[in-house]
Amino acid sequence: MEDQRRLVTLGGKGSALSSSSVYEIANRLARLNMDSSALSKVSSSSSSSSNSKTSKTDAKTDAVTISAPFSILSNLTREESRASLVILLNKLLLSSSSTSTAVNQLSDLILNDVSPSEQDTIDGVSPGDFSVALIAGISTILDHRSSALSVISDAVAALSCEALQADISAFNLNDSGDGSSAKDVISVASDLKILLNGSKRVNSKSDEPAVASVPVVHGKFREICRLLHSGTRVQLNSAVVSNSGSSGTVSAMCTTLFSLAVALKDLGNISYNRAKHIVDYHIAKDIEFSANPQKEDSANLQKKDSANLQKEFSAKLQEECPRPDQLKALFASLVSAHSEEEYVKFSHDVNSLLVMVEQIISWEALAAFISLEGKDFIGGASVGEDTTKAVKKGGNKKIGKGTTALVQFLKDRLLSMPIQNVTVLENLVRNFLSLLEPKDLGFDTLLKKVKDIVDSNESRRLPKLPKGTRDFAKEQMAVREKAFSIIVEVFKRHGASALDTPAFEMRETLMGKYGEDSKLIYDLADQGGELCSLRYDLTVPFARYVAMNGLTSFKRYQIAKVYRRDNPSKGRYREFYQCDFDIAGQFEKMMPDFEVIKILTELLDELDIGEYEVKLNHRKLLDGMLAICGVPQEKFRTICSSIDKLDKQSFEQIKREMVDEKGLSNEISDRIGTFVKWRGPPVELLSKLKQERSFLENNESSLALDELEIMFKALEKSKCIDKVVFDLSLARGLDYYTGVIFEAVFKGAAQVGSIAAGGRYDNLIGMFGTRQVPAVGISLGIERVFAIMEQLQKDKNQEIRATETQVLVSILGDDSALAAELVGELWNAKVKAEFMIHKKVMKHIDRARDAKIPWMVLVGERELSEGVVKLKDVVAAIDYEVPRGKLVDDICRRLGM
């Protein structure tokens, strides 16, 4: 009879070895084959090696002479040994220096399933290479089984939530989009909600710690499984390494396995706690509720049977299911082995821990299943019985759509399994536990079923936002619209015109303008022969527009989204709004610079966000300072980039960066440190700098001090200089700045960092045309301003109106034509109005109160017959009767229109 098992080829260039294929070979579920070209290469290599006549006693001159002992396999399981030998064989086939003797020796052991003698050795394989293969072999088993366990454990936890009728509010997690959310924790919570979707059982009981911690514990396990898979995949398809490099490889693999062991211990503990809780408090109750007694005697009998089942199953759980103290003891053993660098024993113990946790989760699944389906299986459901009805338990409460499909699958599989000559409970336990055994042929079917339930029916899956983006609800949009209206009003007050530019530009337009931040530009796929990128800010597109249109003077504002190819941390986004104001052209010296600072203070004052300060410096002063300190001119920009980090890092950290990475001496760095600590009131610090001869003798810094003096006088006269701090540590890393640079920082409780920034850029526009047009501008980081405004409203318990509706037209009945007539009149009079048609008056009043609509127009049968309408002041709860013909005039008068 032909062998139907899958054929796995080793050493082939076109096929990569996977954890699942190694697992199948290790458990004789797949056949082994060796690539013919790899075998011929090994034979050739072996011949060359034999011709060299290297002495077999000189291990230092040729690694081929070293032989690894098989005794190291003695403490491993047959599965672990075979997996390790498969990986070692594959590494030898991929290696250019392997011997045919070692390949033949290993292939015979694997193909014939022979256990080698402890005295035997593998010719030409160093102990270090063998150790790497051993750890990699066990890691492969762990990779395959843990990835399956990650899926199964989530499904079992969902069944337990049904059995416990647990509070699942801990699963209501959303990705914030700014990098501060744990991806796998949210993913686990989402999958569990899919499985439990539609359940009427959950959320019936109080919070259960072993349920509330599921997203975090399972999420961490999922994260480490992914890390293990990534590392194992590398080892599966790499050749043998030098004996000297093997220890580092083994140590790195075991570091990942240690994290896996911690995650497994936590997973096993909460699984056992859920199983114990189900057995102790729910099995007897649930089976009792599932009965439909026809008379008192059968009811009493049912209670007695369920109590006996609970007692019998509890005893079996205590006797056969691994306990937390056993988990703890095994974990302590592997910690000790890791500490003593007994890495093979350590890896074996981690695998034993995985098997123990698999058993605990199988018992948890059985406990949940008996709680939900005990009546059918303890009461004697038979093969062929109709089991297609929706599962209902516990007071006729349905379980979720996903868990229903899973329970139905388990029922069908169990009912098709043979009945052994033991008790009903014993038969159920044996069949159920075998169903969850990874080596069982039905396990892959179960695994696929769970994945199908989670992945199918996308309407049940919670959609996910891309990282670094977010939605804005109606209340948040109300805050944004208010802020935008204030910002636009300030910009227009200063004579600016609106401008809009494309969301993407030619890539060449953006590159080379942002210094080290150019790596954050979002490139787009080539379309139509043009290389494009999403705009990084609004300043460079503005400069391109001015140059393209030959403008020599332009004052503009723009509010639009920009994009950063960043890995967002908390409070940072990849898509966000900027509000820009720029003045391009030749004007009185420093007056445009003064105006943009004045605009910044007006914006922040009128947005009413609280205390802030505007840090200010001058790029020429900064360059002069660097020259005075001895920094080479070619390093000015990169050192500025380092200095710009001083608001987030200490000077010692910045100094290490300047010295170790950017090549400055300690003396130069210390001189820079002296100056960048200078900050204070603008006029006072300016006076201090003017007393420093070195600054006056440097052309760049001298010019900067003269320009700052003009601007500070203007800021004094306009009464906003008290908001400004002269700060020599402000550097602004963007390459295009040439003069004044500034940054606004919020000083309140919310830690949001910079909320606005800008500066002078006299050479940027000239990059796109033949004429240099000087310019200065400001950009408001509106996302951070919104965060502050929202927090302030929460702190003040202010409720936000999502709409501006002034009147609700309420028709007490079903006359839609009348609703259209009345609301149409109000709309024509420019009144902001909505309508509602419902027979119950309280529905209308609740709608008005919830939406904070100040006025209602109520019309029922009496009002229609008398030719009047009832006008209601919702806040004051006062009613007015108004003639139908005067409705619009009366409302407009009350609204002051």
Side-chain angles (χ1 to χ4, degrees):
M1 183 177 177
E2 186 180 351
D3 194 339
Q4 298 295 316
R5 293 178 299 168
R6 184 163 73 97
L7 187 67
V8 177
T9 301
L10 301 186
K13 290 184 179 179
S15 57
L17 197 61
S18 67
S19 292
S20 59
S21 56
V22 172
Y23 177 83
E24 289 174 6
I25 296 172
N27 289 284
R28 304 187 63 79
L29 301 173
R31 293 178 293 144
L32 178 65
N33 181 48
M34 286 179 286
D35 184 72
S36 56
S37 61
L39 280 173
S40 63
K41 184 182 71 172
V42 169
S43 298
S44 172
S45 170
S46 178
S47 299
S48 302
S49 179
S50 62
N51 291 334
S52 67
K53 300 188 183 297
T54 304
S55 171
K56 208 168 186 185
T57 61
D58 190 3
K60 293 180 181 179
T61 59
D62 194 343
V64 172
T65 63
I66 302 173
S67 298
F70 275 116
S71 58
I72 200 168
L73 294 173
S74 59
N75 293 322
L76 302 185
T77 65
R78 177 61 64 88
E79 177 187 64
E80 292 168 341
S81 298
R82 284 178 59 84
S84 300
L85 294 176
V86 168
I87 289 177
L88 180 58
L89 177 58
N90 191 58
K91 285 180 176 290
L92 292 176
L93 290 170
L94 294 172
S95 175
S96 59
S97 59
S98 303
T99 66
S100 57
T101 304
V103 169
N104 292 334
Q105 189 180 11
L106 288 172
S107 60
D108 285 344
L109 289 172
I110 298 168
L111 291 171
N112 299 320
D113 199 24
V114 175
S115 297
S117 167
E118 292 189 22
Q119 285 73 40
D120 288 343
T121 58
I122 313 173
D123 292 336
V125 175
S126 71
D129 289 334
F130 195 21
S131 294
V132 170
L134 287 169
I135 307 301
I138 299 173
S139 295
T140 302
I141 300 299
L142 285 164
D143 177 29
H144 177 79
R145 295 183 73 150
S146 62
S147 62
L149 183 62
S150 178
V151 176
I152 295 298
S153 63
D154 292 346
V156 171
L159 290 178
S160 290
C161 288
E162 300 280 19
L164 294 167
Q165 302 180 46
D167 177 2
I168 61 168
S169 57
F171 302 168
N172 295 327
L173 303 175
N174 290 308
D175 192 344
S176 63
D178 64 359
S180 62
S181 305
K183 173 184 174 183
D184 293 291
V185 171
I186 291 171
S187 180
V188 166
S190 174
D191 289 348
L192 285 162
K193 287 168 72 175
I194 292 166
L195 288 161
L196 295 166
N197 182 49
S199 172
K200 303 300 182 184
R201 279 181 66 96
V202 294
N203 294 322
S204 300
K205 302 291 183 182
S206 60
D207 180 32
E208 168 64 39
V211 170
S213 58
V214 167
V216 174
V217 174
H218 288 225
K220 192 63 182 177
F221 181 60
R222 185 180 290 193
E223 177 189 339
I224 293 169
C225 288
R226 193 170 60 250
L227 184 65
L228 173 64
H229 179 72
S230 176
T232 303
R233 186 173 53 193
V234 172
Q235 285 301 320
L236 281 173
N237 296 286
S238 61
V240 291
V241 296
S242 65
N243 194 43
S244 60
S246 61
S247 60
T249 304
V250 167
S251 178
M253 286 192 289
C254 288
T255 299
T256 303
L257 295 187
F258 194 93
S259 298
L260 179 68
V262 175
L264 281 167
K265 177 172 67 71
D266 293 342
L267 189 70
N269 279 329
I270 66 168
S271 175
Y272 184 87
N273 290 340
R274 287 192 299 268
K276 193 77 167 61
H277 201 156
I278 293 170
V279 172
D280 291 346
Y281 300 104
H282 289 268
I283 284 184
K285 183 179 179 183
D286 282 333
I287 296 177
E288 179 184 331
F289 280 157
S290 68
N292 183 21
Q294 300 300 314
K295 55 184 179 179
E296 188 177 348
D297 289 346
S298 63
N300 289 334
L301 183 61
Q302 183 71 28
K303 288 179 182 178
K304 183 178 179 181
D305 288 345
S306 62
N308 288 337
L309 171 68
Q310 190 267 351
K311 186 176 180 181
E312 184 180 352
F313 187 73
S314 180
K316 193 167 267 306
L317 180 77
Q318 284 290 107
E319 180 183 345
E320 299 184 24
C321 177
R323 300 182 307 277
D325 61 313
Q326 293 172 294
L327 275 178
K328 185 177 180 180
L330 183 52
F331 184 77
S333 171
L334 66 88
V335 169
S336 175
H338 187 274
S339 177
E340 296 297 326
E341 298 185 3
E342 297 175 357
Y343 290 132
V344 175
K345 180 181 184 305
F346 162 75
S347 303
H348 168 74
D349 284 350
V350 176
N351 194 29
S352 300
L353 185 68
L354 173 69
V355 172
M356 189 177 286
V357 173
E358 285 175 339
Q359 293 170 354
I360 293 172
I361 289 173
S362 297
W363 278 95
E364 179 194 356
L366 179 56
F369 183 80
I370 289 177
S371 177
L372 295 169
E373 285 296 312
K375 172 177 175 286
D376 286 345
F377 283 85
I378 305 304
S382 59
V383 178
E385 229 179 75
D386 181 15
T387 60
T388 59
K389 295 180 181 179
V391 183
K392 294 185 179 182
K393 290 285 173 287
N396 237 17
K397 291 181 179 178
K398 283 202 313 181
I399 67 174
K401 295 177 182 177
T403 44
T404 294
L406 181 58
V407 167
Q408 190 62 53
F409 174 84
L410 292 171
K411 286 172 66 176
D412 292 343
R413 288 301 305 272
L414 288 168
L415 290 171
S416 65
M417 295 174 81
I419 298 175
Q420 303 169 47
N421 189 25
V422 289
T423 66
V424 174
L425 179 61
E426 182 69 28
N427 186 73
L428 174 60
V429 169
R430 288 185 185 180
N431 286 344
F432 197 96
L433 295 183
S434 69
L435 190 59
L436 270 69
E437 165 56 48
K439 295 187 184 71
D440 188 87
L441 294 176
F443 182 79
D444 284 344
T445 309
L446 172 61
L447 189 64
K448 184 177 183 301
K449 180 65 179 178
V450 175
K451 289 180 178 179
D452 287 345
I453 292 171
V454 172
D455 294 339
S456 66
N457 193 353
E458 287 298 317
S459 65
R460 292 208 303 268
R461 176 175 285 278
L462 291 176
K464 181 183 181 300
L465 278 171
K467 185 166 62 173
T469 64
R470 58 175 179 162
D471 292 321
F472 298 96
K474 54 187 181 180
E475 292 83 6
Q476 291 171 308
M477 285 306 300
V479 174
R480 288 179 161 246
E481 288 176 351
K482 177 184 176 183
F484 282 142
S485 67
I486 291 172
I487 293 164
V488 170
E489 174 61 30
V490 172
F491 287 162
K492 287 184 175 180
R493 186 188 305 154
H494 288 262
S497 304
L499 174 70
D500 193 19
T501 56
F504 54 91
E505 298 273 349
M506 299 293 291
R507 188 176 302 169
E508 64 202 40
T509 299
L510 302 180
M511 296 308 293
K513 312 299 190 301
Y514 304 106
E516 295 181 7
D517 283 348
S518 291
K519 64 181 180 292
L520 301 181
I521 293 173
Y522 254 121
D523 292 332
L524 301 178
D526 182 10
Q527 297 289 340
E530 290 187 339
L531 297 176
C532 298
S533 301
L534 292 175
R535 61 189 173 206
Y536 178 88
D537 67 2
L538 301 178
T539 306
V540 171
F542 166 67
R544 188 264 311 152
Y545 174 85
V546 172
M548 274 184 62
N549 291 277
L551 302 178
T552 58
S553 177
F554 189 28
K555 185 183 285 189
R556 84 86 166 86
Y557 75 87
Q558 184 174 358
I559 298 175
K561 289 181 176 179
V562 297
Y563 303 87
R564 306 281 168 92
R565 190 175 59 83
D566 207 349
N567 186 20
S569 57
K570 188 171 184 180
R572 297 178 69 90
Y573 296 91
R574 295 195 290 181
E575 177 195 64
F576 55 94
Y577 273 100
Q578 281 188 343
C579 304
D580 276 26
F581 179 99
D582 292 83
I583 303 173
Q586 293 284 356
F587 297 94
E588 297 82 357
K589 191 172 185 179
M590 299 307 294
M591 292 311 290
D593 308 71
F594 146 72
E595 186 173 6
V596 295
I597 298 291
K598 175 63 175 168
I599 287 170
L600 175 55
T601 60
E602 288 178 15
L603 284 173
L604 298 180
D605 287 342
E606 294 186 30
L607 288 168
D608 194 24
I609 61 171
E611 288 296 311
Y612 66 90
E613 69 177 17
V614 179
K615 297 193 294 184
L616 184 144
N617 201 359
H618 197 296
R619 200 59 176 266
K620 287 185 172 65
L621 179 63
L622 194 60
D623 288 349
M625 181 193 77
L626 295 177
I628 291 166
C629 292
V631 177
Q633 188 170 3
E634 66 271 14
K635 291 189 177 182
F636 279 9
R637 293 288 75 83
T638 187
I639 297 303
C640 279
S641 178
S642 296
I643 295 172
D644 195 36
K645 301 173 185 175
L646 277 168
D647 59 337
K648 304 180 185 71
Q649 299 179 22
S650 69
F651 180 74
E652 287 305 314
Q653 292 173 299
I654 301 303
K655 180 181 176 179
R656 280 197 295 272
E657 181 179 306
M658 292 191 292
V659 173
D660 297 342
E661 298 178 24
K662 300 186 177 180
L664 290 189
S665 67
N666 282 307
E667 293 76 15
I668 293 175
S669 298
D670 288 337
R671 282 188 219 128
I672 293 172
T674 301
F675 288 122
V676 296
K677 293 173 185 176
W678 287 11
R679 74 188 306 270
V683 176
E684 291 179 21
L685 186 53
L686 179 67
S687 176
K688 180 179 177 180
L689 286 168
K690 284 205 163 193
Q691 294 171 18
E692 290 284 331
R693 180 178 295 180
S694 57
F695 279 91
L696 296 176
E697 291 175 350
N698 180 278
N699 290 335
E700 293 282 279
S701 58
S702 178
L703 176 62
L705 293 174
D706 290 341
E707 290 183 346
L708 289 172
E709 186 172 17
I710 296 170
M711 190 178 72
F712 289 163
K713 285 180 179 178
L715 291 172
E716 268 190 311
K717 293 297 183 182
S718 66
K719 296 180 172 54
C720 65
I721 199 167
D722 60 315
K723 302 287 188 181
V724 178
V725 175
F726 194 1
D727 188 339
L728 265 65
S729 72
L730 181 67
R732 302 293 298 151
L734 301 181
D735 275 1
Y736 54 66
Y737 287 126
T738 60
V740 167
I741 50 177
F742 50 87
E743 184 175 270
V745 179
F746 180 61
K747 297 175 70 176
Q751 299 297 311
V752 296
S754 170
I755 52 178
R760 174 161 287 279
Y761 50 98
D762 286 347
N763 301 327
L764 182 59
I765 295 172
M767 292 183 180
F768 302 109
T770 58
R771 180 182 301 171
Q772 290 287 8
V773 181
V776 63
I778 179 177
S779 180
L780 183 67
I782 195 66
E783 303 296 340
R784 296 181 177 183
V785 172
F786 290 149
I788 296 168
M789 294 175 71
E790 289 168 6
Q791 187 59 50
L792 288 173
Q793 287 183 323
K794 288 180 183 177
D795 294 343
K796 295 176 182 177
N797 292 321
Q798 292 179 344
E799 293 186 355
I800 304 169
R801 277 200 70 187
T803 70
E804 297 181 9
T805 305
Q806 298 166 304
V807 180
L808 176 65
V809 175
S810 298
I811 305 301
L812 303 174
D814 55 7
D815 194 340
S816 56
L818 177 60
E821 178 186 344
L822 289 171
V823 79
E825 291 177 9
L826 293 173
W827 287 338
N828 292 337
K830 311 303 182 200
V831 175
K832 297 169 183 174
E834 297 181 55
F835 64 90
M836 180 177 178
I837 303 170
H838 200 283
K839 294 179 181 179
K840 294 183 179 180
V841 68
M842 282 310 299
K843 291 287 186 182
H844 294 272
I845 294 173
D846 289 344
R847 165 79 178 278
R849 286 173 177 166
D850 290 344
K852 301 176 182 63
I853 301 173
W855 292 94
M856 295 176 66
V857 174
L858 293 107
V859 183
E861 291 183 5
R862 183 186 70 79
E863 286 79 15
L864 277 175
S865 63
E866 296 178 7
V868 297
V869 297
K870 184 188 292 184
L871 189 60
K872 186 176 188 67
D873 182 333
V874 178
V875 177
I878 300 174
D879 294 342
Y880 304 93
E881 206 164 80
V882 180
R884 168 69 182 82
K886 295 183 178 181
L887 171 63
V888 175
D889 291 340
D890 192 273
I891 286 178
C892 288
R893 177 180 59 81
R894 294 178 186 276
L895 294 174
M897 296 176 63

